Amino acid sequence: MKVAVFGAKSYDSKYLSKENEHFGHELVFIEAHLNALTAPLAQGFGAVCVFVNDDIDADCLKALSEVGVGTVALRCAGFNNVDLEAAASLGINVVRVPEYSPHGVAEHAVALLLSLNRQTYRAYNRVRESNFSLEGLLGFNVNTKTVGVIGTGKIGAAFCSIMKGFGCRVIAYDMYPNEACLKQGIEYVDLDTLLKQSDIISLHCPLTPETEHLIDDETISVMKKGVMLINTSRGGLIDTAAVIRQLKSGQIGYLGLDVYEEEGDIFFEDISDKVLEDDVFARLLTFPNVLVTGHQAFFTSDALESIAKTTLQNLSDIDRDNSCANSVSADLIKH
Ligand code: NAD
């Protein structure tokens, strides 16, 4: 299949090209993000391949349909950036990579948790300046703490099992309890109980209309004072303005983010020689107890190999008989 790979970085072309030796698709790498304005670049391609910050809304899909594109292949798991109903009405296939490296993402959530607790990012700078003072670096034992996990699918379950290994009490909230978690002794509780009892809360549910701003002033006010909040899922789960208010009051003690609700314009790009225009994001970066990474939880060599393989297989499946086990439809959101 002839595929326009949008938002392509060097690592995308490296891993997709290498894996494509086994598939033989015609891949063209385009640096621009896909949106309604750039969609005409896909003229003459059967498929587009996109990532988390491409904007595949109804206008974009209409423009893709007009230039003959029949498939949108997401090289990621989340699909909140695609208007699935518009895709269905235009007869455009949407396929994704439902699983590539749940352990890698869970491990990054744990990295944020541990770094925030011991402030290794501050210690690193201090030691390089011969400042060996421990003032301000006091942490706590993670062992025996209560960790609340919202969403126990593939990544949430991997995170639960790591935290079990730390000797934590792990409680979880999900409408569909995961058998593997139950077997490990993870306790399922309602959301309110999780918010009230957890010392550390990690978000692993998808972004849907129901989960948008799940973390806002109201839900934060129920949490323990000084709670640690980790989000490696999607930025829109958190109301950033509310989180800033609650960091200022001390209600939130630590915040670890790999995703941000307005990340689309900044993440994955080097804008170090430009002025940061997002004042909310700039304010977040001023807190010593906030650690932000730029959507890198997925970024392991294992994950990139797996993403490339599944994406190319999805395209081959669609090419062969116009169906694919990894198709996404609007019904999936309701699961
Ligand atoms: P998954 O589909 O396996 O699991 C999601 C779980 O969330 C399911 O068990 C589902 O029942 C549950 N859920 C849905 N709505 C919920 C709600 N309102 N409250 C509580 N639980 C709810 O997905 P996954 O592979 O574990 O991925 C989780 C999320 O992680 C993805 O949606 C994606 O947005 C994000 N992600 C981020 C990165 C990254 O690099 N930061 C990488 C991969 C995935």
Side-chain angles (χ1 to χ4, degrees), residues 278-298:
D278 183 334
D279 292 345
V280 176
F281 189 65
R283 180 68 178 99
L284 262 188
L285 300 182
T286 64
F287 293 95
N289 50 349
V290 172
L291 178 56
V292 182
T293 53
H295 208 137
Q296 72 172 83
F298 76 98

Side-chain angles (χ1 to χ4, degrees), residues 143 147 158-170 181 184-187:
N143 176 264
V147 178
F159 180 80
C160 284
S161 86
I162 301 173
M163 297 323 294
K164 266 287 184 193
F166 273 83
C168 295
R169 172 184 175 230
V170 183
C181 292
Q184 283 189 48
I186 310 301
E187 256 176 84

Side-chain angles (χ1 to χ4, degrees), residues 112-119 121 230 254-256 289 291:
L112 289 174
L113 184 165
L114 295 177
S115 305
L116 276 167
N117 177 25
R118 297 309 189 93
Q119 302 188 52
Y121 49 100
I230 305 288
Y254 310 81
L255 178 68
N289 50 349
L291 178 56

Side-chain angles (χ1 to χ4, degrees), residues 9 11 33 51-53 263 266-270 294-295 298:
K9 300 288 182 196
Y11 43 86
H33 283 298
F51 196 50
V52 294
N53 289 332
E263 70 179 51
I266 44 182
F267 281 13
F268 307 118
E269 307 302 332
D270 178 359
H295 208 137
F298 76 98

Side-chain angles (χ1 to χ4, degrees), residues 125-137:
N125 288 326
R126 278 192 194 185
V127 168
R128 285 165 70 91
E129 291 182 2
S130 301
N131 175 358
F132 302 102
S133 163
L134 300 183
E135 296 294 339
L137 299 183

Side-chain angles (χ1 to χ4, degrees), residues 100 153-155 173-174 204 206 211 232-234 258 295 298:
Y100 43 90
K154 293 172 285 293
I155 297 170
Y173 168 68
D174 193 311
H204 298 287
T211 60
T232 55
S233 189
R234 283 290 180 267
D258 187 51
H295 208 137
F298 76 98

Side-chain angles (χ1 to χ4, degrees), residues 6-323:
F6 279 86
K9 300 288 182 196
S10 62
Y11 43 86
D12 294 310
S13 58
K14 178 179 165 190
Y15 281 87
L16 281 166
S17 300
K18 184 161 185 289
E19 198 56 46
N20 196 37
E21 288 166 15
H22 309 292
F23 288 89
H25 294 293
E26 190 182 331
L27 305 181
V28 173
F29 296 97
I30 298 172
E31 269 183 49
H33 283 298
L34 178 61
N35 54 41
L37 286 177
T38 57
L41 292 172
Q43 171 95 44
F45 290 85
V48 292
C49 177
V50 298
F51 196 50
V52 294
N53 289 332
D54 294 295
D55 187 8
I56 308 104
D57 62 8
D59 289 343
C60 177
L61 287 158
K62 188 166 169 281
L64 288 175
S65 171
E66 280 166 10
V67 296
V69 171
T71 300
V72 173
L74 291 149
R75 52 183 190 278
C76 55
F79 45 84
N80 50 287
N81 53 338
V82 185
D83 185 331
L84 293 175
E85 276 167 11
S89 71
L90 291 161
I92 293 181
N93 298 303
V94 180
V95 294
R96 67 168 180 151
V97 183
E99 173 174 344
Y100 43 90
S101 189
H103 293 282
V105 180
E107 286 164 14
H108 190 75
V110 177
L112 289 174
L113 184 165
L114 295 177
S115 305
L116 276 167
N117 177 25
R118 297 309 189 93
Q119 302 188 52
T120 45
Y121 49 100
R122 296 179 77 197
Y124 173 81
N125 288 326
R126 278 192 194 185
V127 168
R128 285 165 70 91
E129 291 182 2
S130 301
N131 175 358
F132 302 102
S133 163
L134 300 183
E135 296 294 339
L137 299 183
L138 189 67
F140 58 83
N141 284 9
V142 174
N143 176 264
T144 74
K145 293 294 180 290
T146 298
V147 178
V149 181
I150 301 182
T152 54
K154 293 172 285 293
I155 297 170
F159 180 80
C160 284
S161 86
I162 301 173
M163 297 323 294
K164 266 287 184 193
F166 273 83
C168 295
R169 172 184 175 230
V170 183
I171 58 177
Y173 168 68
D174 193 311
M175 299 83 73
Y176 303 93
N178 181 327
E179 273 304 314
C181 292
L182 287 168
K183 275 196 194 128
Q184 283 189 48
I186 310 301
E187 256 176 84
Y188 279 89
V189 295
D190 59 47
L191 183 60
D192 196 52
T193 305
L194 184 144
L195 299 175
K196 281 185 179 141
Q197 295 190 358
S198 302
D199 300 296
I200 299 165
I201 296 175
S202 194
L203 306 179
H204 298 287
C205 57
L207 177 61
T208 63
E210 189 199 329
T211 60
E212 188 173 5
H213 286 185
L214 178 73
I215 305 299
D216 60 9
D217 283 305
E218 200 183 326
T219 45
I220 298 167
S221 69
V222 181
M223 297 176 190
K224 280 189 178 180
K225 190 163 178 70
V227 66
M228 180 187 288
L229 190 59
I230 305 288
N231 186 11
T232 55
S233 189
R234 283 290 180 267
L237 295 176
I238 290 184
D239 176 349
T240 315
V243 153
I244 288 175
R245 280 191 289 278
Q246 304 288 350
L247 279 161
K248 284 164 81 177
S249 74
Q251 175 66 8
I252 294 179
Y254 310 81
L255 178 68
L257 300 180
D258 187 51
V259 286
Y260 167 59
E261 54 183 333
E262 302 298 334
E263 70 179 51
D265 293 335
I266 44 182
F267 281 13
F268 307 118
E269 307 302 332
D270 178 359
I271 55 164
S272 53
D273 59 350
K274 297 202 175 94
V275 171
L276 186 56
E277 287 183 14
D278 183 334
D279 292 345
V280 176
F281 189 65
R283 180 68 178 99
L284 262 188
L285 300 182
T286 64
F287 293 95
N289 50 349
V290 172
L291 178 56
V292 182
T293 53
H295 208 137
Q296 72 172 83
F298 76 98
F299 198 56
T300 66
S301 53
D302 310 73
L304 291 185
E305 270 172 38
S306 176
I307 288 170
K309 196 172 183 173
T310 306
T311 301
L312 296 166
Q313 184 63 55
N314 288 344
L315 289 162
S316 292
D317 292 349
I318 292 287
D319 203 19
R320 200 181 47 246
D321 49 21
N322 208 33
S323 81

